[in-house]
Amino acid sequence: MATEALIERILAASGGPSASAIDALHELLDDATIEASAMPKSVAEAARLVGLSTHTLRYYEQEGLVRPARNASGYREYSSFDLRRLVFLTRMRLSGMTMTDLKRYILRVEQGPSTIPERRRIMLDQQDRITRKIRELGLALETTEYKIRVYDGHPEG
């Protein structure tokens, strides 16, 4: 499936991650599914597709996280590979990964397969942070639900 269609499918999923959205995300993260013939996207098109501002895309480029090609006129052209990396970056930022860790991870990716053990360690550490955050949010939700129940029983509530 085309990168653009996969991104749209993920962003259209509302009400939590559906099996369809998760399948699309997995396909997006698999470099073997990148279509080489897809037309590159402008910075505005890429920003719209991944749900970021053009300013953020330029910042990611400045930080070395993505390196879109330039056309003959000097405009950025985001390939399917770039769009897929942006999806990865947005998911990691949403999960709370720091820019420092993202830069370290992307640097290791670009250094090749010999860095896979370190990349795996970075992802395991991030998994631990996400798991902790989910537990914290679960407690916050419990607290909120408790207060709602208390207010439901209140004569003025």
Side-chain angles (χ1 to χ4, degrees):
M1 182 178 282
T3 297
E4 187 171 346
L6 289 168
I7 292 170
E8 294 287 351
R9 198 163 99 196
I10 290 169
L11 295 178
S14 60
S18 66
S20 173
I22 291 169
D23 288 344
L25 181 61
H26 289 177
E27 196 171 335
L28 272 172
L29 297 176
D30 181 358
D31 289 346
T33 65
I34 295 176
E35 63 284 357
S37 63
M39 293 295 297
K41 305 290 180 218
S42 70
V43 67
E45 292 169 322
R48 181 194 57 78
L49 263 175
V50 297
L52 297 173
S53 69
T54 57
H55 174 78
T56 299
L57 294 189
R58 290 182 186 106
Y59 173 69
Y60 284 176
E61 181 181 0
Q62 176 186 339
E63 293 298 314
L65 297 173
V66 66
R67 292 180 178 84
R70 301 279 181 147
N71 65 19
S73 300
Y75 293 108
R76 291 169 180 83
E77 291 188 326
Y78 288 84
S79 67
S80 292
F81 176 83
D82 297 322
L83 293 172
R84 288 166 184 243
R85 178 167 285 180
L86 289 169
V87 168
F88 170 77
L89 295 171
T90 58
R91 297 301 94 198
M92 291 300 98
R93 289 295 292 150
L94 181 66
S95 75
M97 184 179 262
T98 65
M99 287 298 290
T100 300
D101 284 345
L102 264 178
K103 288 192 278 189
R104 191 175 90 214
Y105 180 84
I106 294 300
L107 178 64
R108 297 304 178 266
V109 167
E110 292 174 348
Q111 290 173 340
S114 67
T115 65
I116 286 175
E118 187 176 354
R119 287 186 264 160
R120 185 175 188 282
R121 172 52 38 210
I122 293 169
M123 288 293 108
L124 286 169
D125 291 345
Q126 185 61 17
Q127 181 184 40
D128 290 345
R129 285 188 291 272
I130 293 168
T131 301
R132 179 179 174 86
K133 187 66 170 179
I134 289 170
R135 285 195 312 266
E136 290 171 355
L137 288 171
L139 290 172
L141 180 59
E142 277 296 320
T143 303
T144 303
E145 289 171 345
Y146 169 77
K147 283 303 207 179
I148 291 169
R149 284 192 308 274
V150 167
Y151 295 140
D152 284 345
H154 191 275
E156 294 175 15

